[in-house]
DNA sequence: CTGAAAGCGCTTACAG
DNA sequence: CTGAAAGCGCTTACAG
């Protein structure tokens, strides 16, 4: 005898395997379809005896309500979508988890998608989620034009942008205070005696990168320091590019004595390069890192609260879904400077 | 004049806002419903002129196909579910991303859910995903009894367990070689002269924790070392518990000279405790950590490849969905010992 | 090349 | 307390 197949195949298995439906349950229990629906959904108005018969049929048949059909009739999917850059990035894990928790509190599930920082893929993903009629959408923008979402928003899809503002449409967004955080971080270096301070950041078309650079420039101006071209470098965050940028501003006739790192990807490589230097170079980094306090010296950071950002965005999303008419708003969350040693090193001139 | 409402409200907005349907498109274009369906799905057999008219109506109305309805008719949702412990844990981010990439290659979206290590929540989540008729399910078990999934699997839901095997049912699972990895890691410490080696791990009911402890015991037995009770400690991975466990085995009349850490959560705290010790204690840790190579000394680890695990599981899932009849299999992926210094410290007796 | 009818598995609105 | 009919927005199977 051949081994038992792990699931039914053939003609009967085309759709959802061969699952029993409410109709099957009704037939077996000898009741009407609507009565089954009542029992399944815990609606009142069913005799205990009838309920027992229906429940028996449900158990015997292994019936589970098809929410996919339910959704079609009810009009709400109890699903929200999250389009982010890369789930493997340690910043997005906690953010996603926070969105999930809020969704869960509202009885909704979360569909995740990674855009890989590609605007086309962001759009493709967001629209695929809309085609599945998610109730709401949290988007971490990869692109800078979100007019493609206008018809969806008009049709009722709640939408909140996170980490970076929406492009060319008016919509809710939840951001960190990138400008203020960077400014404070650089001011911290200035306060510790640095004047030649480098900035290494992400590609300038990314909003957070631009804002942090702006914060850097503001702090330098506050201190009356003229920024030299060689001190700033924006571009891809791959180790190779960042290493070259760091090495360049650390060499030459008047090298920087301190570096402000624009995000967690950049920081990882900058730390490596600084460890190889013969003299001590100060470092303040945007984004906290696990183990940052255990390095020698500990890494001084401007920390964002990824979970708080996710929570705030999701709260806002469900407020939209409550039907309350609220004007689009830009919510900025504060950052926190955590001093651990690397940012308090004096200039090694 | 009041500000323009951001989306329609009232009677017409109950279901999916007030989106146009194929019927609306058909009416506007003056064609039949099926013709619209043909155009939307790029099926052949439509005059260029007809297609143009339909496309015009689609654009004018802002029509987007309702995949929710499509799914009901087609029987496949092109969605897979992933139930994991906690998306905020750095191990699961890359794993989830890998599953997503494979799903994407098969045209499917991914619904994520965190069980928070709670068996009831795992079951609730997995069954909610089944109710939405996901085509397949990747589950990182929190509980140890998965018989509740039997009817679903029989009904055709492809299922793969990851990181820990399924409980009380026969199903595909993809695991790391926890036993072999831990054994090799501990043997590495033995090879560097240690005999009094501690083990701090997760709760013993968790499969990976039990397997790694087994690996530890095997390595010790291989070396002819009798393990003392005070050397092993399994339990919650919160900093408080781990700190106490570490401090205890590092004190007393015959303290351990080396520690094997059972997972990334444990390691973070163990490193902190070791940094406070006056003498150097060797450390080998299961799971790699970002920046582990930059600590002093670098942390020697037994690394798992989270992305490879996710990829393997997802591949397996879609192989099941291809309809190929395959017997449930247990796939074990190798781990890799990465030496960085902490595991090569000699005993400080 | 085109479209009317039936049906996917539920819920809604209603009548008994 | 119970259930038959209509409908959610699509696709399938078929006929012209």
């Amino acid at each position: 005898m051949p081994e038992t197949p792990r699931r039914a195949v053939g003609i009967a298995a085309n759709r959802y395997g061969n699952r029993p439906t409410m109709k099957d349950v009704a037939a077996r229990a000898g009741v009407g379809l609507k009565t089954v629906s009542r029992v399944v959904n815990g609606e009142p108005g069913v005799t205990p005896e009838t309920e027992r018969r229906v429940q028996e049929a449900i158990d015997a048949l292994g019936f589970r309500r098809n929410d996919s059909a339910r959704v079609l009739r009810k009009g709400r999917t109890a699903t929200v979508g999250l389009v982010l850059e890369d789930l493997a990035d340690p910043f997005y894990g906690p953010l996603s988890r926070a969105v999930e928790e809020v969704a869960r509190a509202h009885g909704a599930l979360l569909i995740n998608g990674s855009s890989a920082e590609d605007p086309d893929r962001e759009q493709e993903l967001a629209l695929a989620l809309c085609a599945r009629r998610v109730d709401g959408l949290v988007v971490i923008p990869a692109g800078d034009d979100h007019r493609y979402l206008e018809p969806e928003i008009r049709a009722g899809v709640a939408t909140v942008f996170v980490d970076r503002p929406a492009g060319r449409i008016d919509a809710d967004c939840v951001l960190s205070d990138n400008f203020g955080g960077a400014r404070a971080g650089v001011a911290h270096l200035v306060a510790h005696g640095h004047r030649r301070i480098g900035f290494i950041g992400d590609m300038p078309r990314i909003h957070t990168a631009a804002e942090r650079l702006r914060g850097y420039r503001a702090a330098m101006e506050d201190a009356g320091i003229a920024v030299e071209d060689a001190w700033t470098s924006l571009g891809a965050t791959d180790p190779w590019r960042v290493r070259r940028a760091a090495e360049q501003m650390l060499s030459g006739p008047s090298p920087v004595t301190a570096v402000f790192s624009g995000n967690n990807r950049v920081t990882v490589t900058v730390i490596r390069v600084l460890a190889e230097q013969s003299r001590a170079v100060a470092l303040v980094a945007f984004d906290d890192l696990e183990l940052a306090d255990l390095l020698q010296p500990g890494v001084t950071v401007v920390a964002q609260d990824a979970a708080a950002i996710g929570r705030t965005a999701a709260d806002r999303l469900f407020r939209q879904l409550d039907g309350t008419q609220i004007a689009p708003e830009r919510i900025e969350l504060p950052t926190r400077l955590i001093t651990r040693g690397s940012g308090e090193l004096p200039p090694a001139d």
Side-chain angles (χ1 to χ4, degrees), chain A:
Chain A
M1 217 162 74
E3 64 195 49
T4 316
R6 45 184 298 130
R7 52 206 150 87
V9 284
I11 295 159
N14 294 340
R15 82 165 353 86
Y16 302 133
N18 38 12
R19 285 174 169 277
T21 69
M22 283 194 182
K23 201 173 151 195
D24 299 323
V25 174
R28 174 157 184 141
V31 300
L33 191 59
K34 178 59 198 172
T35 299
V36 176
S37 174
R38 287 201 180 87
V39 172
V40 168
N41 296 304
E43 286 166 25
V46 182
T47 318
E49 160 59 13
T50 309
E51 176 166 359
R52 196 191 50 72
R53 285 225 316 284
V54 171
Q55 193 56 56
E56 236 171 57
I58 287 174
D59 295 341
L61 260 34
F63 169 80
R64 180 170 313 284
R65 183 183 67 196
N66 185 337
D67 281 354
S68 193
R70 173 171 226 243
V71 148
L72 181 59
R73 198 59 239 251
K74 292 200 87 90
R76 275 210 173 178
T77 54
T79 309
V80 300
L82 171 59
V83 179
L84 39 73
E85 190 209 320
D86 178 8
L87 211 37
D89 182 310
F91 179 70
Y92 295 112
L95 196 155
S96 176
R97 176 68 199 273
V99 173
E100 185 197 344
E101 288 302 322
V102 175
R104 181 177 145 83
H106 288 263
L109 288 177
L110 178 65
I111 306 186
N112 269 103
S114 299
S115 70
E117 202 66 77
D118 173 353
D120 292 336
R121 194 162 154 182
E122 173 212 299
Q123 174 167 350
E124 183 195 335
L125 250 170
L127 290 179
L129 292 168
C130 289
R132 295 188 180 216
R133 299 295 187 264
V134 290
D135 298 328
L137 210 47
V138 176
V139 179
I140 292 161
D144 52 9
D145 186 350
H146 297 91
R147 282 176 298 179
Y148 70 88
L149 275 175
E150 265 179 340
E152 310 298 329
I153 292 172
R154 212 156 28 221
V157 179
T159 310
V160 178
F161 292 81
V162 168
D163 194 41
R164 309 164 195 171
R168 315 191 70 172
I169 64 170
D170 191 27
D172 277 333
C173 66
V174 178
L175 313 170
S176 276
D177 178 12
N178 295 292
F179 171 75
R183 184 182 201 167
V186 174
H188 184 73
L189 289 167
V190 170
H192 283 269
H194 296 274
R195 295 189 63 83
R196 298 201 308 279
I197 303 172
F199 177 97
I200 307 180
D202 210 331
M203 289 173 290
R205 66 169 179 79
I206 297 178
H207 173 261
T208 50
E211 280 294 291
R212 292 169 196 174
L213 177 62
R214 206 163 64 78
Y216 162 85
R217 290 198 183 282
M220 295 297 266
E221 196 178 322
D222 292 343
I225 304 168
V227 175
E228 293 182 19
D229 282 353
W231 297 353
T232 62
S233 173
L234 275 74
T237 61
D238 63 279
W240 197 81
R241 207 283 300 179
V242 172
R243 167 170 290 278
R244 242 180 40 133
E247 286 173 348
Q248 273 178 6
M249 58 181 73
L250 286 165
S251 62
S254 80
V256 299
T257 63
V259 174
F260 186 85
S261 165
N263 72 28
N264 57 356
R265 305 290 83 194
V266 171
T267 305
V268 173
T269 301
V270 169
I271 292 174
R272 291 204 157 76
V273 174
L274 296 192
E276 297 160 9
Q277 300 293 308
S278 50
R279 66 209 159 81
V281 177
L283 170 67
V284 173
F286 212 105
D287 290 330
D288 202 359
L289 298 168
E290 186 152 50
L291 304 186
D293 59 321
L294 291 173
L295 294 179
Q296 307 282 357
V299 183
T300 293
V301 300
V302 175
Q304 306 184 70
D305 189 342
I309 293 173
R311 217 177 302 121
T312 305
D315 280 341
R316 188 83 192 168
L317 196 74
F318 284 99
R319 190 129 29 113
Q320 283 182 30
L321 287 169
D322 283 348
T324 326
Q325 290 300 316
I326 40 178
E329 206 177 312
R330 176 190 179 115
I331 301 173
E332 258 187 27
L333 268 51
T335 59
R336 198 160 57 96
L337 182 73
I338 305 173
T339 58
R340 296 193 178 117
S342 74
E344 294 75 52
L345 294 173
D349 265 327

